[in-house]
């Protein structure tokens, strides 16, 4: 039994009791220590002292990404800085960065949450955990690092980049667990194969704990075949806690939420109404016991659902479905809503296609154009025009039939889409300034 097993098998009523008690304290701490919450609770007429059931939380106002940005850098901190031991930040590519702070206890819980993923994979002190999420303000590197230490693994803090060196270390150190984004894992796999290595003979990998970006089931199957290991999906975000908010077990049937630390709701993103289990909507998170920057009803903008029923693994923490993407990444193509990962899933049914693509948004007059730039594998005969035209037609037809969308398809040469060491950039928006 792993050290996390007891809490992961508690009867659900007991988990709800932990959530209720923790959120009661969280609400009072927020109200008494953070001006923002005092103001927003008062304005919404929400009394944190009379909170008595998890359903009462629907009366509390939401916290948005904009609120976090407006509070930069420390306005949402609920403890004095002397108690804050570590800071992380989002990259801020779409605006002002958001800040996450951790007390010593927050860091310990973070490590324990990520360690669950390692234990789900059957890992522990006999494992060598190779971490090539970026170390630094991004939560990937250090979150996985604390998790690896908490699970008792031998930890290799590689950080991202220098792919050939990653491969050498993976091989020579006999790493058994690989932690990085799925797109970087694919780049490592492709590079290893190009170097003439045989992952079955040359690597000793048991599992990959991959997240920070959406990836389709077909992408995962390809990755598992190339590296001969199991891929577990891990979810997290700078604003609530880095990787470890939810992680898949070996059943690969949804991500177990760390429900002793986070309470999840799914809402209709348009009306804000709470949705029943099974329905897709926006994930809203409330922290149960975070000290430095507690969050109350944080709107993640991530689209998922609570999977109804129990997991075959016997763990009682509820599961969220694999994320299709964020509300902001959803494309509306002639009235049809679609996420890049769904386009990826269809593209990956073609043997000729590599895992690399970009969705280019452009404008012709008043019309938005969506073009899928899809990269072929190196063994594809790119000089044969008829080959390219056939593939273009087939992919276009497959997109229409599977997703009901009409996409322009542009087949591009092997290795022409930029590789990423962190999160892959799937959408390229050329529309600004084109009017
Ligand atoms: O990406 C934290 C993380 C690091 C998670 C390593 C997993 C592994 P941010 O940079 O703040 O934090 O980005 C958070 O990334 O709101 C989702 O939109 C997306 N995301 C994170 N995990 C997944 C996942 C980290 N497993 C944002 N599947 C989130 C799909 C994910 N999207």
């Amino acid at each position: 039994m792993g050290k996390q097993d007891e809490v992961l098998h508690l009867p659900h009523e007991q988990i709800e009791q932990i959530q209720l008690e923790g959120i009661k304290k969280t609400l009072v701490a927020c109200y008494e220590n953070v001006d923002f919450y005092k103001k927003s609770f008062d304005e919404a007429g929400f009394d944190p002292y009379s909170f008595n059931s998890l359903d009462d939380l629907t009366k509390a106002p939401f916290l948005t990404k904009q609120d976090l940005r407006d509070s930069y850098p420390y306005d949402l901190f609920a403890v004095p800085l002397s108690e804050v031991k570590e800071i992380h930040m989002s990259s801020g590519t779409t605006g002002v960065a958001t800040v996450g702070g951790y007390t010593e206890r927050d860091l310990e819980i973070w490590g324990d949450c990520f360690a669950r993923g390692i234990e789900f994979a059957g890992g522990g002190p006999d494992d060598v955990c190779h971490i090539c999420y970026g170390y630094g303000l991004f939560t990937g590197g250090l979150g996985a690092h604390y998790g690896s230490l908490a699970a008792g693994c031998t930890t290799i803090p590689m950080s991202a980049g220098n792919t050939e060196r990653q491969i050498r270390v993976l091989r020579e150190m006999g790493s058994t667990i690989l932690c990085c984004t799925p797109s970087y894992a694919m780049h490592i796999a492709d590079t290893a194969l190009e170097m003439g290595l045989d992952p079955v003979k040359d690597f000793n990998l048991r599992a990959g704990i991959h997240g920070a970006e959406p990836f389709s089931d077909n992408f995962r199957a390809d990755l598992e075949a190339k590296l001969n290991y199991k891929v577990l999906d891990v979810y997290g975000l700078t604003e609530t806690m880095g990787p470890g908010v939810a992680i898949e077990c070996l059943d690969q049937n949804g991500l177990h939420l760390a429900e002793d630390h986070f309470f999840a709701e799914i809402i209709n993103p348009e009306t804000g109404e709470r949705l029943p289990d099974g329905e897709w909507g926006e994930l809203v998170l409330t922290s149960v016991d975070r000290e430095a920057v507690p969050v109350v009803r944080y709107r993640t903008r991530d689209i998922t659902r609570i999977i109804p029923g129990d997991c075959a693994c016997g763990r009682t923490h509820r599961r969220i479905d694999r994320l299709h993407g964020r509300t902001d990444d959803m494309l509306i193509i002639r009235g049809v809503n679609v996420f890049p990962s769904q386009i990826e899933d269809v593209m990956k049914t073609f043997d000729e296609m590599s895992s690399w693509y970009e969705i280019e948004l452009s404008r012709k007059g008043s019309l938005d154009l969506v073009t899928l730039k899809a990269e072929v594998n190196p063994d594809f005969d790119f000089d044969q025009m008829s080959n390219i035209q056939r593939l273009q037609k087939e992919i276009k037809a497959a997109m229409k039939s599977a997703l009901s969308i009409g996409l322009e398809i542009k087949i591009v040469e092997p290795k022409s889409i930029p590789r990423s060491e962190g999160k892959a950039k799937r959408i390229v928006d050329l529309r600004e300034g084109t009017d």
Side-chain angles (χ1 to χ4, degrees):
M1 288 269 273
K3 73 173 185 182
Q4 303 282 327
D5 268 347
E6 196 183 326
V7 72
L8 289 165
H9 287 90
L10 286 178
H12 207 261
E13 308 78 70
Q14 275 185 43
I15 297 173
E16 284 163 30
Q17 199 52 38
I18 293 173
Q19 291 178 321
L20 184 65
E21 295 306 319
I23 293 175
K24 256 186 199 174
K25 287 189 194 139
T26 299
L27 292 173
V28 170
C30 285
Y31 191 72
E32 293 182 354
N33 301 325
V34 183
D35 289 347
F36 168 87
Y37 282 113
K38 168 139 189 22
K39 191 159 167 275
S40 81
F41 288 2
D42 284 347
E43 273 171 13
F46 175 70
D47 174 13
Y49 300 101
S50 59
F51 172 81
N52 265 321
S53 87
L54 293 170
D55 284 339
D56 284 347
L57 205 56
T58 53
K59 298 178 196 145
F62 291 118
L63 174 71
T64 65
K65 186 149 185 135
Q66 192 55 45
D67 295 329
L68 265 92
R69 288 184 176 142
D70 293 344
S71 310
Y72 180 86
Y74 292 130
D75 287 356
L76 284 175
F77 281 51
V79 298
L81 264 191
S82 55
E83 288 177 34
V84 177
K85 299 301 161 210
E86 194 166 307
I87 295 282
H88 285 269
M89 266 187 233
S90 69
S91 57
T93 43
T94 54
V96 180
T98 51
V99 181
Y102 299 76
T103 62
E104 205 166 317
R105 186 167 148 67
D106 292 336
L107 286 175
E108 198 184 308
I109 289 173
W110 189 15
D112 282 348
C113 285
F114 193 95
R116 288 176 188 179
I118 295 174
E119 293 183 10
F120 289 173
D126 294 332
D127 281 82
V128 178
C129 185
H130 179 116
I131 300 166
C132 46
Y133 285 115
Y135 277 62
L137 287 175
F138 176 54
T139 52
L142 282 161
H145 189 97
Y146 298 141
S148 172
L149 294 181
C153 301
T154 304
T155 306
I156 308 191
M158 292 295 293
S159 199
N162 198 341
T163 307
E164 295 202 359
R165 181 155 176 253
Q166 301 278 358
I167 291 168
R168 222 173 42 240
V169 172
L170 269 174
R171 190 176 172 202
E172 290 165 3
M173 308 305 274
S175 308
T176 54
I177 294 178
L178 176 64
C179 301
C180 60
T181 61
S183 52
Y184 194 44
M186 186 63 86
H187 183 44
I188 291 177
D190 287 342
T191 311
L193 293 170
E194 266 168 44
M195 287 162 70
L197 296 175
D198 172 356
V200 179
K201 280 206 277 193
D202 292 316
F203 294 158
N204 194 22
L205 286 173
R206 149 215 298 280
I209 304 182
H210 301 316
E213 60 185 1
F215 57 115
S216 66
D217 289 342
N218 285 327
F219 185 103
R220 179 201 333 240
D222 191 16
L223 194 53
E224 289 187 331
K226 281 179 178 159
L227 286 179
N228 185 38
Y229 69 159
K230 277 278 188 196
V231 169
L232 304 185
D233 191 343
V234 56
Y235 171 74
L237 60 169
T238 313
E239 296 88 330
T240 61
M241 185 181 83
V245 172
I247 314 189
E248 265 183 327
C249 64
L250 283 175
D251 283 291
Q252 294 180 317
N253 190 10
L255 293 77
H256 288 279
L257 279 158
E259 285 200 288
D260 44 338
H261 303 297
F262 295 96
F263 176 73
E265 300 169 80
I266 302 291
I267 62 159
N268 174 329
E270 260 124 53
T271 63
E273 226 176 294
R274 199 191 267 187
L275 295 173
D277 287 2
E279 283 191 32
W280 288 86
E282 179 178 348
L283 176 68
V284 170
L285 291 171
T286 298
S287 58
V288 171
D289 53 5
R290 281 189 71 76
E291 294 177 333
V293 193
V295 289
V296 177
R297 302 199 89 200
Y298 179 60
R299 290 189 61 155
T300 63
R301 302 200 268 190
D302 289 319
I303 301 295
T304 181
R305 64 179 186 130
I306 305 267
I307 299 178
D310 300 328
C311 184
C313 76
R315 297 182 184 94
T316 49
H317 290 222
R318 294 187 304 163
R319 291 158 297 153
I320 52 170
D321 214 323
R322 298 219 313 132
L323 277 82
H324 283 172
R326 311 177 62 110
T327 45
D328 2 5
D329 285 342
M330 190 176 75
L331 302 165
I332 304 179
I333 303 178
R334 310 266 145 81
V336 182
N337 299 352
V338 62
F339 285 104
S341 60
Q342 293 173 289
I343 293 177
E344 172 185 293
D345 220 11
V346 176
M347 190 186 96
K348 291 287 296 166
T349 58
F350 288 83
D351 289 343
E352 296 92 335
M353 304 317 296
S354 77
S355 303
W356 305 97
Y357 65 97
E358 270 174 9
I359 296 166
E360 206 175 76
L361 308 179
S362 57
R363 188 166 293 159
K364 200 173 180 186
S366 60
L367 209 64
D368 277 345
L369 291 183
V370 185
T371 307
L372 171 67
K373 285 171 73 182
E375 188 191 285
V376 283
N377 278 323
D379 54 7
F380 179 82
D381 185 0
F382 202 81
D383 294 331
Q384 280 271 345
M385 201 53 194
S386 57
N387 248 351
I388 297 177
Q389 283 166 344
R390 173 195 51 82
L391 195 55
Q392 238 163 357
K393 251 171 109 175
E394 284 177 10
I395 296 181
K396 201 175 166 81
M399 293 292 169
K400 185 95 210 159
S401 131
L403 303 172
S404 308
I405 51 168
L407 275 185
E408 292 308 311
I409 311 289
K410 190 169 168 195
I411 304 293
V412 299
E413 292 188 49
K415 294 208 186 163
S416 56
I417 305 274
R419 288 357 187 197
S420 82
E421 293 166 358
K423 302 187 192 222
K425 190 168 164 51
R426 305 295 195 189
I427 299 182
V428 179
D429 195 344
L430 305 173
R431 289 173 304 181
E432 252 157 58
T434 52
D435 269 337

